[in-house]
Amino acid sequence: MNRQLPWRVAIRIAWREMRASRSRFLFVVLAVAIGVGSLTGVRSFGSAFRHMLLREARTLMAGDMSLRVFALPTSEQDAVLQDLALRGVQHTWITETVTMASSAAAEDPVLTSVKAVDPAAYPYYGAVKLDPPLPFRDALKAQSVVVSDDLLVRLKVKTGDTLHLGGQDFRIAGVVTSEPDRMTGSLNVGPRVMITREGLERTGLISLGSRAAERYLFRLPAAGPPGVAEVRQILKNNFPEATIADYTETHPIITRGLDRATTFLSLIGLIALVIGAMGVGSAMHGHLQQKLDSIAVMKCIGARSAQVIRIYTAQTLMLGLSGGILGALLGVAVASAFPGLIAKYFSIQGSASWDAWPAVQGVAIACLVTLLFTLPPLLGIRAIRPAEVFRRDVSASKPGRRFLWPVFFVRALILLGTGAVAGTLSEGNFRDAVRTGAIFAAGLAAGLALLSLAAWLALRGVRLALRHAPAWLPGMLRHGIANLYRPGNQAQSAVVALGVGVMFTLTVFLVQSALVRQIRGSAPPGMPNVFLLDIPGAQRQTVADFILTQPGVTAAPDVAQAVAARITAIDGVPVDQLPLRAFGRRFLRTRSVTEMESKPPETQILSGAWWPPGDRDPEACVTEEAARILRLKTGSLIEWDIWKRPVRTRVACIQRTEAIRMSARFEFIFSPGQLTGLPAVYYGSARVRPPDVPALQRVMYQRFPTVTVVNMADVMAIVEDVVDRIALVIRFISAFTILAGAVMVASSIAGTRFRRMREVVILKTLGATRNRIAGIFSVEFLALGGIAGTMGTLLASGFAALVLKQLLDIEFHPDALSGGITIALTAVVAAAAGWAASFRILGRKPLEILRGE
């Protein structure tokens, strides 16, 4: 051979060998395609969704720019908005809040999400579509509202009927079928009601200090100043706590959530691709074992190891490329399924354009990952000695076992490569990408090592059990289990691949089930199950006394004052100069604080002491988490801006509370007298016997129509729905890991096709029937799937217990039914995959095979 084998010749030789082993390589191509399909599907949808956000930015926010705050504007901020209006920048004001609504036809009131708009201006872009079709500004008047269709069902009303809101009557003018800025809204809890600003003022739901979501939409002049950048800077300077978005960018809140979801789901897709790549490596190992004679002959006539490696490297790349292209096509179908999975929360129009970049990225990743996982068998070619191959029938030595490169170096290279790929899938900055890649590589190494050990122990245990099995064990069962140890069988790799998918999918299911069970579970003694929102200050005591007289109320309600306050400095250091990250940056914004005379029940003082009765020194007690994030200690000084009033408090104590009460929601509790005279909103909570909650809602709505009574059962239903939707999307993508594992099983079985053919011939020659041989193979496939299912179930239980206990502080209870069903389904999947790869073998004639010997 030539000293340098041209790639053209290497590809030709590789292609001829692949054509001769189509059945085996077909399964590994499918395994790679499944991983690439899930990966490119997620990223294609994310890309299309992001492009849609940019393309429809004006429509999605119903304006050129939006500003969101959670407090009423000050007089100075109103002046800024008026100055912009004089320069041609139109604006309209939207208020979103929650309250109770009722009708004459329904006995119980319903928690609704209220959105107040000016129909003469809103929306600047897009349109609110109604049923029956009516112009929005004609339908929405001071005495009318438009509602979502689910409110009609809940309150047993129809268009034209009367809706009671905040103690006032409104006529239902129509049903909202399309709302342009629904996606960027602040409150999407329960049925929706759209009302005019005049109607909202008539209800009396909003008062000074209310924590409703306030949103401003702006329409900039078509030509000339001020431009987007200038208006944005003006708003940023005067609304420092606001979230600002404009049509030149995607919405920041939605984009952050989309980036995190895309990264997470992409890594799940990468796991499926890794399983496919493991299948390629396993198939290539078996293929090279069958080609030992050919490789030895090539080396005898002068071929170098590098030239032989080039042939099989070309073959690997062809497999990765084929699987990648097929997976990119599959990714189109995966991406098209996503809108249906999240249709409850987002109305997404399909994109007419197809973004080729995710497909190109998926194909490139497929080639790289498959090449990485075939490095061990490819480098093993260097250790093949022709003399050992030709003497293998008389020599005890095993060819191909001496590697010139250290095994640990190859494995480190595989982990480094997959970590780098995982990093490229991160939607964050370079630092986030490095962190994501490192965590993924470490998790992959630990996970595969643990799974491999578990698979080895499981298979070893089955083998030992078979050796000591009683004599009456059926021969078909004994033979089928013994087939797991046939020469060249990749049972351990197949078990690991299928077990990964089972473990991942079942872990998600167990965590979801535990969360829902926790939500649905009975509340601990004394835990509030009814919450009261927006209690007017003047009615605080009246509301508390009234609730105490109602049937089913077990204790006096807990009513807490909430005042909006913003931290300006800690121990003389401005708060914006503190190293706050992630969720800790919430302390840069306005927080709700309260004041109390006595220490709340079930509160533990960790350091310092609660102020004595009658003490009026400016002090505060801080939660353990807030103290840790802000690095506060007893004696630290906190400077506040509370409704333009500067306040300085000394940290008197650090506290921890496990109670689920209104007082426990405040991170800062002030000593009495610090918040006197400031605008405040009052919230309350009470424990009521569940059967008496609807009656309490009715009488509270009749007596105090502006007070929102939230039944925790309604909140729990919303939380359950959100958990179910999130879990559905995750399970949809993680199911691809099971599918990839099943194809890996088929690939492993296809790799032993020739040995199985010899076994069938021998058994048939000895008198075995086709049914008996089919039974032996079925036992083997079911045992393989049963072991993988058992291993995956046990590891899933362990991981679910770890996540629930360490991250969510929820007790884990083993689910024997789910585990049993999982093991049974995994065995069925493995059997189906096994027969897909070997059903033709049963039809081979003994004489046909024996003549070839």
Side-chain angles (χ1 to χ4, degrees):
M1 288 190 177
N2 294 331
R3 192 175 187 84
Q4 292 294 334
L5 182 68
W7 277 106
R8 177 172 51 83
V9 177
I11 292 173
R12 187 185 306 137
I13 297 173
W15 174 248
R16 288 175 179 172
E17 283 200 359
M18 285 180 63
R19 290 176 59 189
S21 305
R22 287 191 298 268
S23 60
R24 174 190 305 151
F25 289 131
L26 173 63
F27 288 108
V28 299
V29 168
L30 286 176
V32 173
I34 290 168
V36 174
S38 60
L39 178 62
T40 58
V42 168
R43 302 192 72 77
S44 294
F45 173 76
S47 176
F49 192 62
R50 194 173 286 104
H51 289 163
M52 185 271 293
L53 290 177
L54 284 171
R55 186 179 64 253
E56 304 293 337
R58 282 188 169 100
T59 301
L60 291 175
M61 67 177 65
D64 292 318
M65 186 175 295
S66 71
L67 179 148
R68 184 204 315 269
V69 290
F70 289 90
L72 293 172
T74 63
S75 58
E76 293 84 357
Q77 290 171 337
D78 272 332
V80 171
L81 296 177
Q82 295 306 319
D83 288 342
L84 287 173
L86 295 175
R87 299 179 61 186
V89 180
Q90 304 175 44
H91 72 271
T92 186
W93 181 14
I94 297 173
T95 298
E96 293 169 304
T97 187
V98 293
T99 190
M100 308 300 293
S102 66
S103 71
E107 183 179 9
D108 298 324
V110 172
L111 180 66
T112 59
S113 175
V114 177
K115 179 177 179 179
V117 300
D118 178 5
Y122 170 86
Y124 287 127
Y125 299 95
V128 178
K129 298 180 181 179
L130 304 175
D131 181 26
L134 285 172
F136 183 57
R137 64 177 59 195
D138 292 342
L140 199 62
K141 302 291 185 180
Q143 306 294 329
S144 63
V145 295
V146 293
V147 301
S148 59
D149 55 358
D150 52 346
L151 185 134
L152 302 182
V153 176
R154 295 284 298 276
L155 292 181
K156 303 176 183 179
V157 291
K158 61 183 183 299
T159 302
D161 288 350
T162 300
L163 180 73
H164 305 298
L165 200 68
Q168 304 295 319
D169 292 341
F170 295 88
R171 184 180 63 86
I172 300 176
V175 177
V176 179
T177 60
S178 177
E179 183 182 349
D181 58 337
R182 169 73 183 272
M183 189 182 301
T184 55
S186 303
L187 297 172
N188 293 304
V189 178
R192 296 173 63 75
V193 176
M194 295 184 71
I195 190 173
T196 63
R197 296 214 63 83
E198 294 82 2
L200 181 66
E201 291 173 2
R202 188 158 62 91
T203 64
L205 294 173
I206 303 299
S207 60
L208 190 63
S210 295
R211 294 288 291 175
E214 309 292 348
R215 193 152 50 94
Y216 293 89
L217 301 180
F218 298 88
R219 184 169 189 169
L220 277 59
V228 172
E230 182 182 354
V231 174
R232 188 185 184 100
Q233 190 60 47
I234 292 173
L235 295 176
K236 185 177 180 181
N237 293 339
N238 291 277
F239 294 84
E241 297 185 3
T243 299
I244 303 173
D246 63 70
Y247 73 91
T248 63
E249 62 173 2
T250 58
H251 196 279
I253 297 176
I254 298 176
T255 302
R256 282 195 296 269
L258 177 64
D259 288 345
R260 291 167 183 164
T262 301
T263 298
F264 177 68
L265 295 177
S266 295
L267 293 179
I268 299 177
L270 181 58
I271 292 174
L273 179 56
V274 166
I275 293 175
M278 289 168 56
V280 176
S282 176
M284 188 60 66
H285 173 77
H287 183 61
L288 291 176
Q289 290 299 308
Q290 291 185 7
K291 295 296 181 180
L292 286 177
D293 289 338
S294 300
I295 295 172
V297 170
M298 284 190 286
K299 286 193 173 186
C300 285
I301 62 176
R304 297 176 179 272
S305 294
Q307 295 172 330
V308 180
I309 289 174
R310 177 170 289 196
I311 294 173
Y312 292 102
T313 299
Q315 201 169 83
T316 297
L317 291 175
M318 290 166 67
L319 292 172
L321 183 62
S322 302
I325 294 173
L326 183 61
L329 297 176
L330 176 62
V332 176
V334 175
S336 65
F338 268 90
L341 296 175
I342 60 176
K344 183 176 179 65
Y345 302 108
F346 300 111
S347 178
I348 302 171
Q349 301 296 327
S351 176
S353 61
W354 179 66
D355 190 355
W357 173 243
V360 173
Q361 188 183 33
V363 173
I365 291 174
C367 293
L368 175 60
V369 174
T370 52
L371 183 60
L372 285 171
F373 278 85
T374 50
L375 278 178
L378 290 177
L379 294 178
I381 293 174
R382 300 170 63 91
I384 295 176
R385 300 291 184 266
E388 293 180 351
V389 172
F390 295 138
R391 293 202 307 266
R392 64 179 179 269
D393 292 332
V394 295
S395 174
S397 63
K398 296 181 180 180
R401 292 301 180 107
R402 295 196 303 268
F403 290 90
L404 299 180
W405 288 26
V407 175
F408 75 89
F409 177 77
V410 177
R411 293 177 178 174
L413 185 61
I414 292 174
L415 290 176
L416 183 63
T418 52
V421 171
T424 63
L425 298 178
S426 173
E427 299 292 338
N429 53 33
F430 178 76
R431 182 176 180 179
D432 292 336
V434 172
R435 183 173 177 270
T436 300
I439 293 175
F440 184 84
L444 180 66
L448 290 181
L450 184 61
L451 287 165
S452 297
L453 176 62
W456 182 84
L457 291 174
L459 291 171
R460 187 71 176 175
V462 170
R463 188 171 190 177
L464 291 175
L466 184 62
R467 287 180 179 177
H468 297 86
W472 51 262
L473 192 69
M476 184 171 62
L477 182 62
R478 188 187 298 271
H479 194 165
I481 295 176
N483 274 357
L484 296 175
Y485 310 100
R486 68 169 69 250
N489 201 354
Q490 300 289 320
Q492 183 172 336
S493 298
V495 167
V496 169
L498 190 55
V500 167
V502 172
M503 178 192 70
F504 203 97
T505 306
L506 186 58
T507 299
V508 174
F509 175 78
L510 292 176
V511 171
Q512 177 203 8
S513 299
L515 280 173
V516 173
R517 189 164 53 247
Q518 178 79 0
I519 292 170
R520 292 174 177 169
S522 59
M527 171 183 167
N529 59 351
V530 172
F531 289 88
L532 310 164
L533 309 181
D534 296 330
I535 303 174
Q539 297 179 329
R540 171 186 180 182
Q541 193 60 45
T542 304
V543 168
D545 294 340
F546 180 77
I547 290 177
L548 193 57
T549 63
Q550 299 306 304
V553 178
T554 59
D558 177 23
V559 180
Q561 173 190 23
V563 175
R566 186 168 63 88
I567 300 174
T568 57
I570 294 177
D571 290 328
V573 180
V575 68
D576 55 5
Q577 296 182 13
L578 297 177
L580 301 177
R581 296 186 178 87
F583 194 51
R585 295 185 63 82
R586 69 184 186 274
F587 293 107
L588 297 175
R589 300 179 179 270
T590 298
R591 312 301 300 161
S592 290
V593 300
T594 190
E595 64 178 24
M596 294 183 183
E597 178 80 31
S598 304
K599 181 172 71 69
E602 303 175 10
T603 297
Q604 177 185 0
I605 302 300
L606 302 179
S607 65
W610 194 268
W611 39 85
D615 186 6
R616 292 297 181 264
D617 290 338
E619 296 176 309
C621 197
V622 187
T623 62
E624 180 183 21
E625 182 188 22
R628 176 179 55 81
I629 294 174
L630 296 174
R631 301 180 183 179
L632 296 171
K633 57 184 182 299
T634 305
S636 296
L637 294 178
I638 307 177
E639 298 178 32
W640 303 83
D641 178 2
I642 307 179
W643 290 93
K644 300 300 181 180
R645 178 196 295 180
V647 176
R648 174 180 291 184
T649 60
R650 183 183 66 85
V651 176
C653 57
I654 310 295
Q655 54 96 0
R656 175 195 299 160
T657 180
E658 302 295 338
I660 306 177
R661 302 177 183 275
M662 291 308 299
S663 58
R665 69 181 290 270
F666 296 101
E667 295 168 306
F668 302 91
I669 301 176
F670 284 26
S671 57
Q674 310 308 310
L675 306 178
T676 302
L678 294 172
V681 177
Y682 291 86
Y683 300 93
S685 61
R687 179 68 183 176
V688 184
R689 286 195 302 266
D692 295 317
V693 173
L696 177 65
Q697 284 185 301
R698 287 194 296 271
V699 297
M700 279 294 298
Y701 184 73
Q702 294 167 0
R703 179 75 179 272
F704 306 98
T706 62
V707 176
T708 301
V709 181
V710 181
N711 182 358
M712 283 305 296
D714 296 333
V715 177
M716 289 175 181
I718 295 171
V719 174
E720 284 183 33
D721 185 59
V722 172
V723 171
D724 288 344
R725 291 278 169 171
I726 294 172
L728 175 64
V729 174
I730 296 175
R731 285 202 306 269
F732 173 70
I733 295 301
S734 62
F736 283 88
T737 60
I738 292 183
L739 189 57
V743 177
M744 170 70 173
V745 171
S747 172
S748 173
I749 292 171
T752 60
R753 177 172 175 268
F754 292 106
R755 291 187 173 92
R756 290 179 185 276
M757 288 170 55
R758 290 171 59 89
E759 179 181 347
V760 168
V761 166
I762 293 172
L763 291 175
K764 283 186 175 182
T765 303
L766 295 176
T769 64
R770 177 178 295 192
N771 288 338
R772 185 174 182 82
I773 297 173
I776 292 173
F777 283 179
S778 296
V779 168
E780 176 188 355
F781 303 151
L782 290 172
L784 188 67
I787 293 172
T790 302
M791 182 190 72
T793 299
L794 292 176
L795 292 176
S797 299
F799 281 122
L802 183 66
V803 170
L804 291 170
K805 187 63 178 176
Q806 298 299 323
L807 300 182
L808 303 176
D809 196 23
I810 296 176
E811 289 295 328
F812 173 74
H813 301 284
D815 190 343
L817 178 61
S818 298
I821 293 175
T822 300
I823 294 172
L825 289 177
T826 307
V828 171
V829 168
W835 278 115
S838 56
F839 72 95
R840 292 183 179 179
I841 294 176
L842 292 180
R844 303 302 296 268
K845 304 297 183 182
L847 189 59
E848 176 187 352
I849 303 300
L850 292 175
R851 281 174 175 172
E853 293 294 324

